Structures are given as structure tokens and as C-alpha cells.
Amino acid sequence: MPDYLDDLRLAHVLADAADAATMDRFKALDLQVETKPDMTPVSEADKAAEELIRGQLQRARPRDAILGEEFGTAGTGPRRWVIDPIDGTKNYVRGVPVWATLIALTEAGEGGYWPVVGVVSAPALGRRWWAAKGQGSFTGRSLSSATRIHVSRVGDLADASFGYSSLSGWEEQGRLDGFLDLTRQVWRTRAYGDFWPYMMVAEGSVDICAEPELSLWDMAATAIVVTEAGGTFTGLDGRPGPHGGNAAASNGLLHDALLGYLNQRY
């Protein structure tokens, strides 16, 4: 099995560059923000960070394809980098520090491209998480200053902490009643939002989380961090990986129960 360590080192270099660019404009009074056709915001920092990452990838990995949230797909081939320059743009533009750059390397396999490297860098929180296939998941300041992380061993919903983003998407999909039933069964619920609950599942401080509507760039990096930490990451249909347009992540022990509630229809 390839160890992907060179790719992981490159992903950290990319994240370092993106962190510098995004932090430079975080809370800037003259930050320029536009509304995309899907009615979500995009800032000049989103675009600058993705352009920066793409430029470095084109020099360091010219044969690899790239998929980014802001500028689409470039190139073809069995290896594809997947980039979300700022996951949590709404937080970013309001000065809330819960946002991150997500960088993943995926490889073509049965059923699509599968993450083999992932870095989630949240510079305003002073946190970074990463994983490579077969190598485990870690958090820390750098590859040389890292702590291995693992999901929790909580096996009962009554003892579980449940992280999510908002209620509106569940209601739009007719899943709100099941979602609310789940919140009544667990020990604690918190709407941390975006990348963060997945990272807390990976490090064992949250036990389950889910979102009803996501894109590949929202999930590719978080999925491998969760699974390499010993957790389970699927779509709401139970299909493994970041391909379902939505996500459910858990410590594995609670996954069937999580899906059971979120798939209830009334």
C-alpha cells in the first residue's frame, strides 16, 4: 500500500499557504463578498486561497486533476485533489472563527474517487487535523508536532453528544421529525456547524454528527480523518464515503441508530 506521506507533506504546505492568505483578510473591514448563483456567499479570500492552492498544485503535481468549490475541475486522471478554500464562509465573513480550509487527495476506484489524504486546517481556532490512508488520524501544529486521535467508545445514544449545523435542511427534506426524535434520545446536542463536528467525532469529543446537503469538497477531507480515526462516514443512505450529497459520521458503534432516526419519514 502506498504511504502517501509525500502527498500529505504537500497538503500541509498548501494548508500553510492558505492559512496565511485567509488569516490576512479575516475580519478585514474592506473584505469583498459576493453572492453566488446558489445564493451562498463567496469572499475574495475564498477565491484567493483556492487560486493559491491550485497554483502550487500545478507546479508540484502537474499530472493530477483538481476539483475546487470556486473554480471547478481542471485536468483528468486517476488522482484528483479536492479543495474547499474556506468551509464556513458565512462564519468567515461575519468574523466567527469556525471555518477551515479543506484539502484532500482522492484516487479513482470502484464507485468513484476515494480520499487517501486529508488536511483540515482551522487557523482562527489554532487547530489542524489530518490523515492518510492506512496511517491514522492526527491533530497538532505540524507533522512533527502531532497527537494521534481516535473516536469515542460511547455505545448508547443516551450517553452520546450529537453535532449538526442547522435545522432548515432537515425540514426541507422531510427529515425534521426524525432529527428531532434523535435529539430527544441523546445526552447533548450542539450546532457547531461545518467541518468542526466531524473533527470532534474523529478526536472523540462528539460521538455522532450529520448534515442533509453537502458537496464533495465539503466531505472529502473530513471523511478520511473520521475513518482513519476509527469512525464511520457515510451518506444518509448508508453508502460509505463522501459521495451521497449528504453525510453521517459517528464512532461506528452508534451509526446504525443515527441513520435509523435520520431516515424516518412521517
Side-chain angles (χ1 to χ4, degrees):
M1 177 187 296
D3 63 18
Y4 299 106
L5 291 182
D6 284 344
D7 294 308
L8 181 59
R9 292 187 191 98
L10 174 59
H12 275 272
V13 171
L14 300 173
D16 289 342
D19 286 355
T22 53
M23 285 301 292
D24 183 61
R25 298 298 291 154
F26 184 49
K27 296 188 179 181
L29 296 178
D30 61 344
L31 182 72
Q32 297 179 21
V33 182
E34 304 169 8
T35 300
K36 295 191 286 189
D38 64 0
M39 302 307 292
T40 60
V42 58
S43 75
E44 62 180 88
D46 293 79
K47 295 179 179 179
E50 184 168 324
E51 287 174 334
L52 189 64
I53 294 169
R54 284 175 176 269
Q56 292 198 19
L57 281 173
Q58 286 163 0
R59 291 188 294 273
R61 296 290 190 275
R63 296 182 180 180
D64 293 352
I66 304 171
L67 169 64
E69 178 177 9
E70 307 307 336
F71 298 107
T73 302
T76 59
R79 288 166 45 103
R80 183 172 69 181
W81 294 84
V82 180
I83 305 159
D84 189 342
I86 298 179
D87 182 56
T89 298
K90 291 177 182 178
N91 282 345
Y92 183 88
V93 302
R94 290 296 302 272
V96 178
V98 183
W99 50 270
T101 295
L102 312 184
I103 301 169
L105 172 63
T106 63
E107 288 192 342
E110 185 177 351
Y113 284 82
W114 295 89
V116 295
V117 167
V119 171
V120 176
S121 190
L125 294 176
R127 298 294 310 274
R128 184 177 291 185
W129 303 261
W130 63 88
K133 185 177 180 181
Q135 303 293 322
S137 293
F138 297 83
T139 188
R141 294 287 184 176
S142 66
L143 282 168
S144 60
S145 177
T147 301
R148 188 160 187 172
I149 57 177
H150 200 278
V151 296
S152 75
R153 301 300 299 168
V154 172
D156 191 324
L157 278 179
D159 300 320
S161 181
F162 173 37
Y164 62 98
S165 287
S166 66
L167 297 179
S168 58
W170 301 104
E171 187 170 29
E172 290 165 6
Q173 294 191 7
R175 300 178 189 265
L176 183 59
D177 288 333
F179 175 93
L180 293 175
D181 284 348
L182 174 61
T183 68
R184 297 181 184 107
Q185 299 301 314
V186 299
W187 166 64
R188 192 169 191 250
T189 64
R190 285 294 184 273
Y192 301 104
D194 301 305
F195 70 93
W196 204 11
Y198 301 95
M199 297 303 95
M200 288 191 280
V201 167
E203 60 189 15
S205 52
V206 166
D207 309 298
I208 54 176
C209 68
E211 288 181 88
E213 186 174 4
L214 292 170
S215 298
L216 178 60
W217 48 75
D218 298 310
M219 298 184 282
T222 59
I224 189 168
V225 174
V226 169
T227 56
E228 284 292 322
T232 300
F233 190 106
T234 72
L236 295 177
D237 61 1
R239 184 159 63 112
H243 306 295
N246 45 48
S250 76
N251 63 6
L253 300 174
L254 298 170
H255 207 77
D256 287 345
L258 171 64
L259 294 180
Y261 277 100
L262 296 181
N263 284 304
Q264 289 179 16
R265 305 284 183 145
Y266 293 89

